[in-house]
Amino acid sequence: MSTIIFGDGDLSFSSIFLKGKRPGSLTSTVFLSKDQLIATYGPEIEERVAALEANGVDVMYSVDVTLLPDTLSSQKFDLIIFNFPHSGGKSKINENRKLLIDMFQSFSGIASGEIHVTLLPGQGGTPADGGRCRAKGNTWQVRDAAAQAGFILIRIDKFDTSTYNLTGYRGSQKNFRCQTGLIHVFIYRPLQSVQLDQVIEGSRLAEYLGKDEECEIVIRATDKEEGSFRDLFSLDLAGRKRRRPLQSLDQEAKEYFGLSDVKELYYPASYTERILYPIEESHDFSIWTDGSSSPPIIPTLLRTVGILLHKVEKREVYHDTGQNRYSHNYRVTYRNDWEALSRAQIKHYAHTILRSSLEKDGFMLH
């Protein structure tokens, strides 16, 4: 197992990590040059470096996690660790968000396993922050930073300080309070496809149907105007005689696989880790019609945003008596529980792709 630790200021975490006698190789990096490291932490740091190198650790200097040197960018690591990343000084939240975004972009080229990013409660912006939870705009938004590079959050662990206490805060004698640290664990799983037919093709549901006999899955929108994902379409099977009502097909498959959520059927069986605290956002749009009847938008939604469709709500209908036309307002909630989905991606689907598809299908947006 190959492990790399980034930003290990005085290399104390690497020393403790090494004592754990974990198998495989270890690379430890620091942001400072070797001369700067000695000037900051004193001659004793040379003894620590010597002890690490004597145990086969590759110590690297002047490593900027957002701009990896060629010697690292050509390698793959099973475990990547960065404890308490910070852009330096009393920096603004936006600067730390950018640090995380750039950091995960760098990691996308070298990660072959888990990424462990330790933050203080309140920084990450997840429910795990507990009593330190802040408003979304006042956090580092680590889930979104990771999703932009194709990573998903699968769990959050407590930072173990039983054998480790981070000292020497930026080279001073002031201790850094890391006792409440939270390790955010990520894996690489980028968004593959949103088209339902393509998603189903490699899913548990397709696997289940393959145990019966060859058939083609046909997706049809229901007559509902709003609802959650599975309320909005029905499945049909072409090419064979039905042996059971299709309304119960996915429920049957759900029981076969022992799943708790029917939506799990629409993803591969290889996806064993579900996203912890998936990103979810809602966006509104309105459509003009000549009559008061609801426009048939569900087929367009299913075809365009597919698996990202979490819920559709019909908000209100406004009658413009002057022009004798009606405005139908909808709210669409986007979410993916299994693959990386960033807020920028949601916005792109909601404001560019969906609106374009609705207009092509003849709907008048406003």
Side-chain angles (χ1 to χ4, degrees), residues 42 63 108 139 147 151 227 270 276 315 323 332:
V63 175
S108 65
T139 72
F151 293 97
S270 59
L276 179 66
R315 306 283 288 174
Q323 300 188 48
V332 178

Side-chain angles (χ1 to χ4, degrees), residues 136-323:
K136 182 179 70 175
N138 197 28
T139 72
W140 296 8
Q141 300 177 8
V142 66
R143 291 173 295 167
D144 191 58
Q148 290 183 46
F151 293 97
I152 62 170
L153 176 67
I154 59 171
R155 71 176 187 274
I156 296 179
D157 302 326
K158 290 185 177 180
F159 187 70
D160 183 11
T161 58
S162 60
T163 58
Y164 173 71
N165 185 31
L166 187 60
T167 59
Y169 182 81
R170 302 196 183 280
S172 71
Q173 297 303 310
K174 179 183 177 182
N175 288 356
F176 180 80
R177 296 181 180 180
C178 60
Q179 290 82 358
T180 57
L182 298 172
I183 304 173
H184 299 71
V185 181
F186 300 88
I187 60 172
Y188 186 66
R189 193 189 291 159
L191 183 65
Q192 298 295 320
S193 174
V194 302
Q195 304 296 325
L196 281 178
D197 54 348
Q198 295 179 18
V199 170
I200 289 175
E201 192 173 304
S203 69
R204 289 180 175 93
L205 183 57
E207 179 184 339
Y208 179 72
L209 293 173
K211 296 180 182 300
D212 192 341
E213 56 184 277
E214 289 188 8
C215 55
E216 179 186 357
I217 302 174
V218 180
I219 302 163
R220 291 188 173 90
T222 64
D223 57 1
K224 294 187 178 181
E225 299 178 14
E226 59 182 339
S228 60
F229 169 76
R230 197 54 192 87
D231 298 326
L232 301 174
F233 67 93
S234 63
L235 296 174
D236 202 351
L237 302 180
R240 74 174 179 88
K241 294 181 180 180
R242 304 182 194 172
R243 296 181 179 176
R244 56 190 178 276
L246 284 179
Q247 291 82 353
S248 65
L249 181 65
D250 51 9
Q251 291 296 330
E252 214 172 276
K254 172 186 168 185
E255 293 175 8
Y256 175 85
F257 286 106
L259 306 176
S260 59
D261 182 357
V262 72
K263 203 169 183 180
E264 292 184 53
L265 289 170
Y266 297 87
Y267 291 96
S270 59
Y271 286 6
T272 55
E273 299 95 349
R274 189 169 183 159
I275 297 177
L276 179 66
Y277 310 131
I279 294 172
E280 180 178 311
E281 275 198 356
S282 299
H283 293 265
D284 296 357
F285 64 88
S286 297
I287 291 176
W288 285 114
T289 62
D290 292 330
S292 59
S293 298
S294 299
I297 64 165
I298 299 302
T300 304
L301 285 169
L302 289 171
R303 188 184 71 251
T304 305
V305 300
I307 200 68
L308 305 184
L309 191 60
H310 184 62
K311 184 170 57 175
V312 179
E313 302 170 80
K314 188 169 184 180
R315 306 283 288 174
E316 59 186 358
V317 179
Y318 164 72
H319 183 203
D320 181 354
T321 55
Q323 300 188 48

Side-chain angles (χ1 to χ4, degrees), residues 325-337:
R325 60 180 181 172
Y326 294 81
S327 172
H328 303 261
N329 179 257
Y330 293 90
R331 173 163 294 173
V332 178
T333 302
Y334 302 82
R335 169 173 163 157
N336 194 316
D337 290 66

